PDB file of all heavy atoms in Angstrom:
ATOM      1  N   ILE A 418     115.769 190.710 204.817  1.00  0.00           N
ATOM      2  CA  ILE A 418     114.687 190.784 203.884  1.00  0.00           C
ATOM      3  C   ILE A 418     113.807 191.906 204.289  1.00  0.00           C
ATOM      4  O   ILE A 418     113.177 191.901 205.364  1.00  0.00           O
ATOM      5  CB  ILE A 418     113.825 189.446 203.857  1.00  0.00           C
ATOM      6  CG1 ILE A 418     114.772 188.282 203.501  1.00  0.00           C
ATOM      7  CG2 ILE A 418     112.665 189.548 202.934  1.00  0.00           C
ATOM      8  CD1 ILE A 418     114.098 186.873 203.659  1.00  0.00           C
ATOM      9  N   LYS A 419     113.648 192.922 203.352  1.00  0.00           N
ATOM     10  CA  LYS A 419     112.856 194.102 203.703  1.00  0.00           C
ATOM     11  C   LYS A 419     111.349 193.817 203.446  1.00  0.00           C
ATOM     12  O   LYS A 419     110.976 193.348 202.381  1.00  0.00           O
ATOM     13  CB  LYS A 419     113.330 195.201 202.763  1.00  0.00           C
ATOM     14  CG  LYS A 419     112.360 196.447 202.678  1.00  0.00           C
ATOM     15  CD  LYS A 419     112.511 197.397 203.827  1.00  0.00           C
ATOM     16  CE  LYS A 419     111.927 198.739 203.653  1.00  0.00           C
ATOM     17  NZ  LYS A 419     110.596 198.933 203.346  1.00  0.00           N
ATOM     18  N   LEU A 420     110.595 194.056 204.516  1.00  0.00           N
ATOM     19  CA  LEU A 420     109.116 193.972 204.397  1.00  0.00           C
ATOM     20  C   LEU A 420     108.548 195.352 204.775  1.00  0.00           C
ATOM     21  O   LEU A 420     109.205 196.139 205.452  1.00  0.00           O
ATOM     22  CB  LEU A 420     108.559 192.865 205.314  1.00  0.00           C
ATOM     23  CG  LEU A 420     108.812 191.456 204.955  1.00  0.00           C
ATOM     24  CD1 LEU A 420     108.272 190.539 205.998  1.00  0.00           C
ATOM     25  CD2 LEU A 420     108.313 191.067 203.537  1.00  0.00           C
ATOM     26  N   ASN A 421     107.296 195.589 204.454  1.00  0.00           N
ATOM     27  CA  ASN A 421     106.710 196.890 204.782  1.00  0.00           C
ATOM     28  C   ASN A 421     105.675 196.868 205.890  1.00  0.00           C
ATOM     29  O   ASN A 421     105.117 197.904 206.214  1.00  0.00           O
ATOM     30  CB  ASN A 421     106.058 197.461 203.472  1.00  0.00           C
ATOM     31  CG  ASN A 421     107.104 197.859 202.476  1.00  0.00           C
ATOM     32  OD1 ASN A 421     107.920 198.735 202.748  1.00  0.00           O
ATOM     33  ND2 ASN A 421     107.059 197.244 201.332  1.00  0.00           N
ATOM     34  N   GLY A 422     105.369 195.670 206.371  1.00  0.00           N
ATOM     35  CA  GLY A 422     104.458 195.593 207.520  1.00  0.00           C
ATOM     36  C   GLY A 422     104.160 194.137 207.787  1.00  0.00           C
ATOM     37  O   GLY A 422     104.678 193.244 207.124  1.00  0.00           O
ATOM     38  N   SER A 423     103.329 193.867 208.819  1.00  0.00           N
ATOM     39  CA  SER A 423     103.031 192.498 209.245  1.00  0.00           C
ATOM     40  C   SER A 423     104.298 191.628 209.322  1.00  0.00           C
ATOM     41  O   SER A 423     104.375 190.509 208.833  1.00  0.00           O
ATOM     42  CB  SER A 423     102.047 191.812 208.255  1.00  0.00           C
ATOM     43  OG  SER A 423     100.818 192.555 208.253  1.00  0.00           O
ATOM     44  N   ILE A 424     105.334 192.198 209.913  1.00  0.00           N
ATOM     45  CA  ILE A 424     106.668 191.575 209.948  1.00  0.00           C
ATOM     46  C   ILE A 424     106.559 190.244 210.663  1.00  0.00           C
ATOM     47  O   ILE A 424     107.255 189.248 210.330  1.00  0.00           O
ATOM     48  CB  ILE A 424     107.638 192.468 210.686  1.00  0.00           C
ATOM     49  CG1 ILE A 424     107.570 193.930 210.162  1.00  0.00           C
ATOM     50  CG2 ILE A 424     109.076 191.981 210.542  1.00  0.00           C
ATOM     51  CD1 ILE A 424     107.820 194.139 208.761  1.00  0.00           C
ATOM     52  N   GLU A 425     105.676 190.138 211.675  1.00  0.00           N
ATOM     53  CA  GLU A 425     105.570 188.969 212.519  1.00  0.00           C
ATOM     54  C   GLU A 425     105.184 187.735 211.664  1.00  0.00           C
ATOM     55  O   GLU A 425     105.334 186.585 212.123  1.00  0.00           O
ATOM     56  CB  GLU A 425     104.560 189.167 213.650  1.00  0.00           C
ATOM     57  CG  GLU A 425     105.055 190.154 214.725  1.00  0.00           C
ATOM     58  CD  GLU A 425     104.854 191.613 214.361  1.00  0.00           C
ATOM     59  OE1 GLU A 425     104.355 191.904 213.260  1.00  0.00           O
ATOM     60  OE2 GLU A 425     105.192 192.494 215.219  1.00  0.00           O
ATOM     61  N   LEU A 426     104.610 187.958 210.517  1.00  0.00           N
ATOM     62  CA  LEU A 426     104.231 186.844 209.622  1.00  0.00           C
ATOM     63  C   LEU A 426     105.464 186.008 209.176  1.00  0.00           C
ATOM     64  O   LEU A 426     105.395 184.784 209.016  1.00  0.00           O
ATOM     65  CB  LEU A 426     103.625 187.394 208.332  1.00  0.00           C
ATOM     66  CG  LEU A 426     102.126 187.265 208.071  1.00  0.00           C
ATOM     67  CD1 LEU A 426     101.816 187.855 206.652  1.00  0.00           C
ATOM     68  CD2 LEU A 426     101.645 185.846 208.168  1.00  0.00           C
ATOM     69  N   ALA A 427     106.606 186.732 208.946  1.00  0.00           N
ATOM     70  CA  ALA A 427     107.693 186.173 208.292  1.00  0.00           C
ATOM     71  C   ALA A 427     108.219 184.813 208.905  1.00  0.00           C
ATOM     72  O   ALA A 427     108.370 183.830 208.185  1.00  0.00           O
ATOM     73  CB  ALA A 427     108.814 187.160 208.140  1.00  0.00           C
ATOM     74  N   PRO A 428     108.471 184.808 210.214  1.00  0.00           N
ATOM     75  CA  PRO A 428     108.916 183.505 210.819  1.00  0.00           C
ATOM     76  C   PRO A 428     107.867 182.418 210.850  1.00  0.00           C
ATOM     77  O   PRO A 428     108.114 181.236 210.783  1.00  0.00           O
ATOM     78  CB  PRO A 428     109.338 183.863 212.247  1.00  0.00           C
ATOM     79  CG  PRO A 428     108.946 185.245 212.441  1.00  0.00           C
ATOM     80  CD  PRO A 428     108.466 185.880 211.213  1.00  0.00           C
ATOM     81  N   LEU A 429     106.561 182.936 210.852  1.00  0.00           N
ATOM     82  CA  LEU A 429     105.480 181.924 210.959  1.00  0.00           C
ATOM     83  C   LEU A 429     105.310 181.100 209.651  1.00  0.00           C
ATOM     84  O   LEU A 429     104.873 179.987 209.701  1.00  0.00           O
ATOM     85  CB  LEU A 429     104.194 182.641 211.276  1.00  0.00           C
ATOM     86  CG  LEU A 429     104.092 183.498 212.570  1.00  0.00           C
ATOM     87  CD1 LEU A 429     102.752 184.191 212.727  1.00  0.00           C
ATOM     88  CD2 LEU A 429     104.398 182.677 213.771  1.00  0.00           C
ATOM     89  N   ILE A 430     105.659 181.766 208.558  1.00  0.00           N
ATOM     90  CA  ILE A 430     105.441 181.038 207.285  1.00  0.00           C
ATOM     91  C   ILE A 430     106.780 180.692 206.627  1.00  0.00           C
ATOM     92  O   ILE A 430     106.802 180.275 205.459  1.00  0.00           O
ATOM     93  CB  ILE A 430     104.595 181.917 206.284  1.00  0.00           C
ATOM     94  CG1 ILE A 430     105.162 183.284 206.111  1.00  0.00           C
ATOM     95  CG2 ILE A 430     103.171 182.038 206.786  1.00  0.00           C
ATOM     96  CD1 ILE A 430     104.728 183.914 204.792  1.00  0.00           C
ATOM     97  N   GLY A 431     107.852 180.825 207.380  1.00  0.00           N
ATOM     98  CA  GLY A 431     109.163 180.351 206.861  1.00  0.00           C
ATOM     99  C   GLY A 431     109.884 181.298 205.917  1.00  0.00           C
ATOM    100  O   GLY A 431     110.824 180.874 205.233  1.00  0.00           O
TER     101      GLY A 431
END
Side-chain angles (χ1 to χ4, degrees):
I418 300 171
K419 163 82 165 55
L420 292 176
N421 291 300
S423 299
I424 314 300
E425 290 82 359
L426 252 184
L429 303 179
I430 54 158

